[in-house]
Amino acid sequence: MTRPQLWRAARIAIGVTVLGLVLWRVDWAEFGQVTGRLRPVWLALVAVVVTVDRLWMAGKWHLLLRGLGVRVSFIETVTTYYIGVLVGLAAQWQLGGDIARALRLGHYSGEHRRVTVSVVFEKLAGFAACGILAAIALSLLHAQYPVVPGGIALGTIVVAVVVLAATPLVLLGPVGSRLLARLARASPRLAVLRTDLSREERDGLRRIALVFFLLTLGEQLMPIVSNSLVQRSLGLDVGLRATFAVVPIIAFVSRLPVSVEAIGVYEGMTALLFGLIGLSTAEALALAITARVTGLTVTAAGAGVCLALRRRATRLGVEAGSA
């Protein structure tokens, strides 16, 4: 068995083990009661928020593309974003969806390298923004449940925020380009991630980086809103402050390549952290499953709508040309 296969098997084992532990602790009678009081009207609002979140992600990526000199239509960017999400889910590999985005839009625009730069920078900025919010959330959680002395906790959080904020620009500099090139050589599947920036492109990226990063930070608040609405759909409400104290941590840990598509890890972190603030394991599992299923359903529907709109626009363009 090769090293990638061993790592994938380990990730599957971790996810299955954590999920099994959560399921073992669930009171299934209580779980049935919680899911039985599901109110669809709140899920409709969740669908709206998730859709806005997806369009926000695609919109800021479109802004980044234009800043790098890539000229594509907004609908093409949105469609590519949705396709990337679905490919990542189908492949059970988030990076696979990012590679699909880079390949598809690079082929469409003819700007393969600049599109790749935008995808890599977007992922780094997203990881950094998610980590910063997780650090802030951790400080709120620590105020309620202190584990280490306050000075040590504050210092660690400040250092984490500074490092995370600097990560996107540092890794897209000369040092980062060499690291990504080495990563690409290590795995043929990652060869598309090579990003050798020219001085002009690096300057253009710096000009738009701050606005893009602020938009990314703002977008990271959307899961907090959608989680609050999912809580209400199940008749649960731990409060916005408590939700803010745990959801960014769950989101950040779920981004780490610990299990396949965070299966098990997401549910385990939800049970652990929401359990700290008063939810039972059954309530937390119902919250996690409802949020996951709703997000996947809305994303798949959004991708279908985008593809239908694109096909219609293509057909109308062909008809106009033939006329």
Side-chain angles (χ1 to χ4, degrees), residues 47-221:
V48 172
V49 172
V50 171
T51 300
V52 171
D53 187 27
R54 296 300 186 200
L55 293 176
W56 191 329
M57 292 180 193
K60 62 188 180 66
W61 183 36
H62 188 71
L63 179 67
L64 183 60
L65 287 166
R66 293 186 67 85
L68 286 168
V70 180
R71 295 292 182 261
V72 292
S73 66
F74 180 65
I75 186 62
E76 193 65 39
T77 304
V78 174
T79 302
T80 302
Y81 205 100
Y82 269 110
I83 289 174
V85 173
L86 293 181
V87 169
L89 292 172
Q92 298 181 343
W93 189 42
Q94 290 183 359
L95 192 55
D98 299 324
I99 292 174
R101 283 197 290 139
L103 290 173
R104 184 180 188 277
L105 203 62
H107 176 74
Y108 179 82
S109 66
E111 295 280 359
H112 293 277
R113 188 169 53 80
R114 293 187 180 187
V115 171
T116 298
V117 168
S118 73
V119 171
V120 173
F121 184 78
E122 182 213 20
K123 295 303 292 186
L124 293 174
F127 183 81
C130 187
I132 288 172
L133 279 190
I136 295 171
L138 188 60
S139 68
L140 294 175
L141 197 63
H142 183 269
Q144 186 72 25
Y145 304 98
V147 177
V148 297
I152 296 177
L154 179 61
T156 302
I157 288 170
V158 169
V159 170
V161 168
V162 171
V163 170
L164 286 166
T167 296
L169 287 179
V170 170
L171 288 184
L172 282 180
V175 175
S177 294
R178 287 195 293 270
L179 289 174
L180 288 170
R182 183 176 299 178
L183 182 64
R185 288 195 298 270
S187 174
R189 292 189 303 173
L190 303 180
V192 71
L193 296 180
R194 295 196 62 167
T195 57
D196 301 318
L197 291 175
S198 67
R199 182 185 296 274
E200 179 186 357
E201 290 166 339
R202 193 171 288 119
D203 290 342
L205 191 58
R206 288 195 184 101
R207 282 194 295 270
I208 200 171
L210 179 59
V211 173
F212 180 80
F213 192 70
L214 291 176
L215 287 173
T216 302
L217 274 174
E219 184 272 322
Q220 294 295 322
L221 298 174

Side-chain angles (χ1 to χ4, degrees), residues 245-315:
V246 298
V247 169
I249 302 174
I250 296 169
F252 182 73
V253 174
S254 296
R255 280 176 175 259
L256 302 177
V258 178
S259 70
V260 177
E261 284 302 315
I263 295 173
V265 172
Y266 175 72
E267 288 76 13
M269 289 297 297
T270 300
L272 174 65
L273 295 181
F274 274 99
L276 283 177
I277 56 180
L279 292 189
S280 67
T281 304
E283 291 172 330
L285 181 63
L287 177 61
I289 290 177
T290 304
R292 185 187 283 274
V293 171
T294 303
L296 291 175
T297 302
V298 174
T299 298
V305 170
C306 286
L307 289 171
L309 290 174
R310 186 179 181 279
R311 282 196 297 268
R312 182 174 183 275
T314 302
R315 187 177 67 253

